[in-house]
Amino acid sequence: MKKIGVAIAAIAVLALGSIAIYGQTISSEYVPADDEIALHIQMDTEEDAGLLIYDYCANGREYSGGISNADRSMLKRDEELIVVWNQQALNNPSDTVDLSIRFRIITEYVDPNYENIYPEEMTRYLDAVSWDAHLGESYFMTITGDKTNGYTAALIQ
């Protein structure tokens, strides 16, 4: 009985903590639906990255997700990535979301995992970026830098 309870708890943590383990690669022409928020992430880094992990907080609730290529190739240093959240996934009843996101770049490719735990020697942390996001809107962010000097994420206003 105890094993079943642990298994159920593990499944609940995975479902809540990893709403979007893999990001979506969608055309830059993507227009979010009325119940979605689209975040366009332009990579402008000195080298390719293995994974892009993002820990985010939406109206006080914490989540985690990430982007990797299904073919295990590196994310290109000049690639545009798009993350789409819908109102239900954000557990948000209003049309505005207090959103904060902190990226982690995993410098080498490793197989993604639901816990989003990766070797520290390959992990580069970026400062968090916060803003009031509105459903039905697209937001644009650029990530610059390199694995030696660090990376920066900036929301383009």
Side-chain angles (χ1 to χ4, degrees):
M1 190 60 129
K2 186 175 181 182
K3 288 182 183 179
I4 293 171
V6 171
I8 291 171
I11 290 169
V13 167
L14 292 176
L16 293 174
S18 299
I19 295 296
I21 283 298
Y22 300 101
Q24 300 176 21
T25 302
I26 304 171
S27 164
S28 61
E29 304 296 321
Y30 184 81
V31 176
D34 290 343
D35 70 338
E36 294 178 329
I37 295 169
L39 178 61
H40 298 252
I41 306 162
Q42 180 62 55
M43 298 293 287
D44 186 15
T45 58
E46 295 299 316
E47 63 271 318
D48 296 344
L51 307 172
L52 181 63
I53 305 302
Y54 48 92
D55 302 305
Y56 60 103
C57 185
N59 292 337
R61 293 179 188 231
E62 294 183 1
Y63 304 94
S64 186
I67 300 171
S68 67
N69 286 326
D71 65 1
R72 305 175 113 200
S73 64
M74 301 284 277
L75 300 172
K76 302 298 178 212
R77 62 188 187 91
D78 60 354
E79 189 167 359
E80 181 186 22
L81 308 166
I82 300 176
V83 177
V84 178
W85 296 288
N86 67 31
Q87 190 171 20
Q88 183 179 6
L90 294 171
N91 198 19
N92 182 56
S94 75
D95 63 350
T96 302
V97 179
D98 178 21
L99 192 59
S100 178
I101 188 166
R102 183 176 188 205
F103 292 101
R104 290 182 276 154
I105 291 180
I106 311 305
T107 58
E108 303 297 325
Y109 184 86
V110 295
D111 287 330
N113 62 71
Y114 285 104
E115 296 83 22
N116 279 335
I117 298 172
Y118 300 96
E120 283 298 316
E121 64 274 8
M122 291 183 208
T123 304
R124 303 296 184 271
Y125 294 88
L126 287 70
D127 290 338
V129 178
S130 301
W131 74 101
D132 287 329
H134 300 276
L135 294 174
E137 298 290 324
S138 291
Y139 297 90
F140 298 85
M141 193 169 286
T142 301
I143 295 178
T144 58
D146 62 61
K147 63 182 172 184
T148 303
N149 299 305
Y151 298 94
T152 302
L155 187 66
I156 300 169
Q157 302 291 343

